[in-house]
Amino acid sequence: MTDYQAAGELLRALAAPMRIAIVTELAGGAKCVHEIVEALAAPQPLISQHLRVLRGAGVVRGERRGREIAYTLTDDHIAHIVADAIHHAGEGHS
Protein backbone atom coordinates (compact mmCIF):
# COMPACT_ATOMS: atom_id res chain seq x y z
CA MET A 1 0.00 0.00 0.00
CA THR A 2 1.40 3.39 -0.91
CA ASP A 3 1.69 6.19 1.60
CA TYR A 4 -1.17 7.99 -0.15
CA GLN A 5 -3.40 4.95 0.12
CA ALA A 6 -2.56 4.53 3.80
CA ALA A 7 -3.28 8.21 4.44
CA GLY A 8 -6.60 7.86 2.62
CA GLU A 9 -7.56 4.88 4.79
CA LEU A 10 -6.67 6.83 7.92
CA LEU A 11 -8.72 9.83 6.84
CA ARG A 12 -11.67 7.59 5.93
CA ALA A 13 -11.57 6.08 9.42
CA LEU A 14 -11.60 9.59 10.91
CA ALA A 15 -14.37 10.87 8.61
CA ALA A 16 -17.28 10.38 11.03
CA PRO A 17 -17.90 13.21 13.52
CA MET A 18 -18.37 10.70 16.35
CA ARG A 19 -14.97 9.14 15.60
CA ILE A 20 -13.39 12.59 15.70
CA ALA A 21 -15.02 13.12 19.10
CA ILE A 22 -13.70 9.76 20.34
CA VAL A 23 -10.17 10.56 19.19
CA THR A 24 -10.42 13.95 20.92
CA GLU A 25 -11.48 12.21 24.14
CA LEU A 26 -8.64 9.70 23.90
CA ALA A 27 -6.11 12.48 23.27
CA GLY A 28 -6.44 13.18 27.00
CA GLY A 29 -5.46 9.63 27.93
CA ALA A 30 -6.79 6.09 28.14
CA LYS A 31 -10.52 5.66 28.64
CA CYS A 32 -12.88 2.73 28.96
CA VAL A 33 -16.01 2.53 26.84
CA HIS A 34 -18.29 3.66 29.69
CA GLU A 35 -16.15 6.79 30.17
CA ILE A 36 -16.38 7.65 26.47
CA VAL A 37 -20.14 7.00 26.53
CA GLU A 38 -20.52 9.35 29.49
CA ALA A 39 -18.28 12.06 28.03
CA LEU A 40 -19.99 12.05 24.63
CA ALA A 41 -23.53 11.30 25.83
CA ALA A 42 -23.86 8.63 23.15
CA PRO A 43 -25.25 5.08 23.31
CA GLN A 44 -22.74 2.37 24.21
CA PRO A 45 -23.40 0.26 21.07
CA LEU A 46 -22.67 3.28 18.87
CA ILE A 47 -19.39 4.03 20.68
CA SER A 48 -18.37 0.37 20.49
CA GLN A 49 -19.11 0.29 16.75
CA HIS A 50 -16.97 3.37 16.13
CA LEU A 51 -14.17 2.00 18.31
CA ARG A 52 -14.20 -1.16 16.19
CA VAL A 53 -13.67 0.92 13.05
CA LEU A 54 -10.92 2.97 14.69
CA ARG A 55 -9.23 -0.18 15.99
CA GLY A 56 -9.43 -1.80 12.56
CA ALA A 57 -7.76 1.26 11.03
CA GLY A 58 -4.98 1.19 13.60
CA VAL A 59 -6.06 4.47 15.19
CA VAL A 60 -6.77 3.06 18.66
CA ARG A 61 -5.76 0.00 20.62
CA GLY A 62 -7.40 -1.63 23.60
CA GLU A 63 -5.77 -3.01 26.71
CA ARG A 64 -7.74 -5.25 29.01
CA ARG A 65 -8.05 -4.00 32.58
CA GLY A 66 -9.99 -6.60 34.50
CA ARG A 67 -13.46 -6.75 32.98
CA GLU A 68 -13.00 -3.59 30.91
CA ILE A 69 -10.87 -2.53 27.98
CA ALA A 70 -9.06 0.79 28.17
CA TYR A 71 -8.63 2.43 24.77
CA THR A 72 -5.70 4.63 23.80
CA LEU A 73 -4.53 6.28 20.61
CA THR A 74 -1.82 4.32 18.84
CA ASP A 75 0.08 7.47 17.96
CA ASP A 76 0.16 11.12 19.10
CA HIS A 77 0.15 12.18 15.44
CA ILE A 78 -3.49 11.14 15.21
CA ALA A 79 -4.49 13.52 17.99
CA HIS A 80 -2.65 16.33 16.19
CA ILE A 81 -4.32 15.55 12.86
CA VAL A 82 -7.76 15.71 14.47
CA ALA A 83 -6.98 18.83 16.54
CA ASP A 84 -5.65 20.59 13.43
CA ALA A 85 -8.75 19.60 11.42
CA ILE A 86 -11.05 20.93 14.17
CA HIS A 87 -9.04 24.15 14.40
CA HIS A 88 -9.06 24.58 10.63
CA ALA A 89 -12.82 23.99 10.44
CA GLY A 90 -13.38 26.59 13.16
CA GLU A 91 -11.51 29.25 11.19
CA GLY A 92 -14.44 29.63 8.82
CA HIS A 93 -12.67 29.15 5.49
CA SER A 94 -14.90 29.71 2.50
Side-chain angles (χ1 to χ4, degrees), residues 34-56:
H34 72 88
E35 294 171 308
I36 300 169
V37 165
E38 185 176 309
L40 300 180
Q44 183 272 327
L46 180 65
I47 296 297
S48 293
Q49 178 183 11
H50 284 297
L51 283 168
R52 243 185 325 279
V53 172
L54 292 170
R55 194 172 54 238

Side-chain angles (χ1 to χ4, degrees), residues 54-91:
L54 292 170
R55 194 172 54 238
V59 173
V60 301
R61 71 173 144 258
E63 180 181 310
R64 187 159 290 284
R65 293 185 181 166
R67 292 182 50 188
E68 296 183 311
I69 297 176
Y71 289 92
T72 57
L73 297 176
T74 57
D75 189 315
D76 286 339
H77 290 109
I78 295 164
H80 293 294
I81 290 167
V82 168
D84 286 348
I86 293 168
H87 181 76
H88 180 76
E91 290 177 347

